[in-house]
Amino acid sequence: MHQSVLLEEVVALFKPLSQKPQPILIDCTLGLGGHSLALLQAYPNLHIVGIDRDKEAQALALDKLTPYAERFTHKQGNFAQILPTLPPPQGILADLGVSSLQLDNPNRGFGFNAPSLDMRMDTEQSLDAFKVVNHYSLYELERMLQVGEVREYKKIASLIVQQRHKQPFNTAQDLANFLAKHTHRGKLHPATLVFQAIRMEVNTEMQNLQALLEYSKTLQDTLMCVISFHSLEDRQVKHAFKEYANIYGDTLTKKPITPSPTEVQHNPRARSAKMRAFHFKAL
């Protein structure tokens, strides 16, 4: 079952919205609707616009949020493209993690043992993990893995290209087993960072985050909260907020907020979450 990360901390952060007449909050990554549900329950004056690329997740979220239909609107698609089309909000939430629904469904191809090689959050887009792994050039694979901070990116890219000439990688399990056999094993499974890099490439995750941070420069009197799950995302948010503090408003989190030991015990997938928040001032 999916558990929304840092749920209490997110609700507490947006408490100032309860003092506004009819504030709008945009949930950029609706997922299964856990954060939006908690916020709607906590603040009766709040209206939320929820965005998600995953139709399966969105259907489940809409069912959960039915009692709040008068204060909830949904948009299907990529938040980077949808945000500029919406009215200016008073709150923005972006939980950048992959949902348990996506990770645990073998047909979605995110997990090491999945019988497919997919990893698309939007199942209608053309680019998937199979195309990335089997058709990207050596240079493109190196670039992708380097961006994903995979240490032996050149070696791994070369190994993938050599192997796919003999036989394509048809499943996530094929790729995970190959990486486990040919790369060093540390604390993490050898495929962890490679899979993460492929997923980020398939779903343009870093580009979407950059678009969100650029868009945020237009905000006025708005609370923004970003929850990231790997160092690349967190670094980008940290540097942006540090730069913005001199121009657009105030950083609300000098250090990232992380899950408590109790939360991690109940939801181990929360352990790498880092939450940063910023208040964009009114001009």
Side-chain angles (χ1 to χ4, degrees), residues 131-280:
K131 291 180 181 176
V132 169
V133 173
N134 291 295
H135 297 292
Y136 266 27
S137 68
L138 176 63
Y139 170 78
E140 289 173 315
L141 288 174
E142 288 180 352
R143 186 262 313 159
M144 175 192 73
L145 295 173
Q146 185 179 25
V147 168
E149 298 186 327
V150 177
R151 278 189 180 181
E152 298 180 299
Y153 68 93
K154 287 193 174 184
K155 172 188 172 183
I156 292 172
S158 179
L159 285 170
I160 288 173
V161 170
Q162 290 173 36
Q163 177 62 23
R164 75 189 190 192
H165 283 322
K166 303 173 188 174
Q167 184 177 351
F169 292 95
N170 290 308
T171 71
Q173 191 170 34
D174 289 343
L175 181 60
N177 290 343
F178 176 78
L179 293 169
K181 184 178 178 181
H182 291 91
T183 57
H184 297 299
R185 182 177 289 275
K187 291 182 180 180
L188 295 173
H189 187 289
T192 301
L193 292 180
V194 177
F195 270 53
Q196 180 174 277
I198 296 168
R199 191 201 77 215
M200 288 164 52
E201 178 74 13
V202 169
N203 297 292
T204 59
E205 293 178 37
M206 296 306 295
Q207 296 93 320
N208 294 337
L209 175 57
Q210 185 58 43
L212 170 64
L213 294 170
E214 282 296 316
Y215 161 82
S216 69
K217 294 179 184 179
T218 67
L219 299 174
Q220 294 188 38
D221 193 19
T222 303
L223 282 170
M224 181 172 176
C225 169
V226 181
I227 302 173
S228 61
F229 288 81
H230 56 76
S231 57
L232 275 170
E233 290 174 336
D234 181 60
R235 199 180 307 131
Q236 196 165 350
V237 176
K238 176 185 176 181
H239 289 167
F241 285 177
K242 185 177 181 180
E243 176 191 337
Y244 295 175
N246 300 319
I247 309 167
Y248 301 108
D250 302 299
T251 301
L252 303 179
T253 48
K254 290 184 179 180
K255 292 185 177 181
I257 296 171
T258 57
S260 67
T262 302
E263 179 174 358
V264 173
Q265 184 178 358
H266 287 94
N267 180 18
R269 284 176 176 164
R271 65 186 178 276
S272 58
K274 291 183 177 179
M275 180 174 114
R276 295 186 186 271
F278 194 92
H279 177 250
F280 291 86

Side-chain angles (χ1 to χ4, degrees), residues 57-73:
Q58 193 169 66
L60 293 169
L62 292 178
D63 185 58
K64 184 185 298 184
L65 295 167
T66 298
Y68 301 93
E70 292 183 358
R71 294 192 287 123
F72 178 78
T73 306

